[in-house]
Amino acid sequence: MKRKMRIYIIVINIILCFVLNSWSQTQGISTGNTTQLSELKEPNPIDSFKTNGTNAKDIIPENWEIISEATGDLNGDGINDLAFFSRKNVKGEESEDYSEKSKIVLAIYWGKDESFTQYKIYDDITSPEDDQITYEELSINITGKRILSIKVSISLGFGSWTNPDFSKKYRYQNGAFYKIGYDSNQFDRGSGDAHRISINYLTGKKIITTYNEFDETIPQKTEKESFNEPLKELGSEIIF
């Protein structure tokens, strides 16, 4: 009886050791070493952006570049703020390694005491560049009406006849930036068929104009639509 009991205890200990070892591996802990898998992950590059700086170049990490920047009052305090697009600077534009230059961030800094203090950095609002998508233009502007305007022009691969060309407008209110406007102008280089879209999210109005770039005999048509939907916060969707 005692012998059977000892055997049961040994079996139970073996099972416990196996279970504990399996659990430690799923938690990213190796036996004899408490290193977590999270410590092995590459650091997020936006963590290297300074929280304060006098200009965009002073704020970005080493080996990053400014794509476009603008200054102007965004939050209504009468002081110029700073907004800019930035990405890692990759030497050799002919390189097919798009992974290094895929990270494009939008940074917004409030103006204060002749310097800028970080409000927020958005690192997931643009699709990465690759052999199919190239940003011919990704620019930013701040208007006198406290509107953050983002202009996007994209070249698509595989001989695409149509390239997206649009702008989105955001305004800071209720503690966040919300999309209040959208405008696009696009046409097919093969057929000449074109359309313009203008959306005002504050009034819930949408205007669609269709025409033909090559044939003036085709009449231009304009349609107006009304809609009712909540404003979308900057960062809740990708720009493209």
Side-chain angles (χ1 to χ4, degrees):
M1 185 68 179
K2 292 182 178 180
R3 182 180 179 184
K4 289 183 177 180
M5 184 62 69
R6 286 196 296 270
I7 294 175
Y8 290 151
I9 293 173
I10 293 173
V11 171
I12 291 173
N13 286 334
I14 293 174
I15 294 174
L16 286 174
C17 289
F18 176 78
V19 171
L20 289 174
N21 184 61
S22 298
W23 176 85
S24 66
Q25 291 181 356
T26 60
Q27 298 299 312
I29 305 174
S30 59
T31 56
N33 189 342
T34 59
T35 301
Q36 299 286 339
L37 285 179
S38 59
E39 296 178 0
L40 300 178
K41 295 181 180 179
E42 293 185 1
N44 192 328
I46 67 174
D47 294 336
S48 300
F49 278 67
K50 293 181 180 179
T51 56
N52 295 278
T54 56
N55 54 63
K57 290 184 178 180
D58 179 43
I59 291 171
I60 60 176
E62 185 179 0
N63 297 326
W64 278 60
E65 63 181 345
I66 304 298
I67 300 175
S68 177
E69 65 178 299
T71 57
D73 185 13
L74 287 170
N75 55 10
D77 62 359
I79 303 174
N80 280 346
D81 306 304
L82 172 67
F84 61 88
F85 278 109
S86 179
R87 71 177 171 192
K88 188 174 181 180
N89 186 10
V90 179
K91 295 181 179 180
E93 291 297 328
E94 300 300 324
S95 172
E96 295 183 359
D97 182 11
Y98 293 94
S99 61
E100 290 191 9
K101 63 177 181 178
S102 63
K103 177 71 71 174
I104 299 176
V105 305
L106 168 62
I108 299 177
Y109 283 67
W110 298 140
K112 184 179 181 181
D113 299 331
E114 299 183 354
S115 65
F116 300 101
T117 300
Q118 185 180 122
Y119 161 70
K120 196 168 184 178
I121 297 180
Y122 304 86
D123 66 340
D124 55 358
I125 62 174
T126 61
S127 298
E129 283 190 312
D130 53 27
D131 57 349
Q132 301 179 39
I133 299 175
T134 301
Y135 289 96
E136 292 188 344
E137 180 180 358
L138 185 57
S139 60
I140 196 164
N141 183 42
I142 299 175
T143 73
K145 296 182 178 181
R146 300 193 298 109
I147 294 176
L148 180 71
S149 178
I150 296 174
K151 179 73 168 60
V152 181
S153 180
I154 297 173
S155 175
L156 300 178
F158 300 111
S160 173
W161 289 96
T162 304
N163 293 333
D165 186 353
F166 59 89
S167 64
K168 293 186 178 183
K169 299 178 178 65
Y170 299 85
R171 188 167 67 188
Y172 184 76
Q173 56 189 45
N174 301 323
F177 284 90
Y178 291 92
K179 184 170 66 174
I180 62 171
Y182 172 87
D183 294 282
S184 71
N185 193 352
Q186 189 171 326
F187 85 101
D188 188 297
R189 291 193 295 269
S191 65
D193 291 333
H195 66 265
R196 289 192 301 268
I197 299 177
S198 180
I199 304 176
N200 187 323
Y201 293 96
L202 295 175
T203 61
K205 302 297 182 181
K206 180 178 182 179
I207 302 175
I208 304 174
T209 303
T210 57
Y211 57 100
N212 191 283
E213 286 277 5
F214 304 150
D215 191 347
E216 295 181 355
T217 63
I218 298 177
Q220 177 176 293
K221 297 181 180 179
T222 300
E223 297 180 0
K224 297 182 180 181
E225 301 177 2
S226 297
F227 61 93
N228 183 15
E229 62 181 48
L231 299 180
K232 292 184 178 180
E233 185 177 344
L234 176 61
S236 63
E237 61 180 1
I238 63 172
I239 295 175
F240 179 82

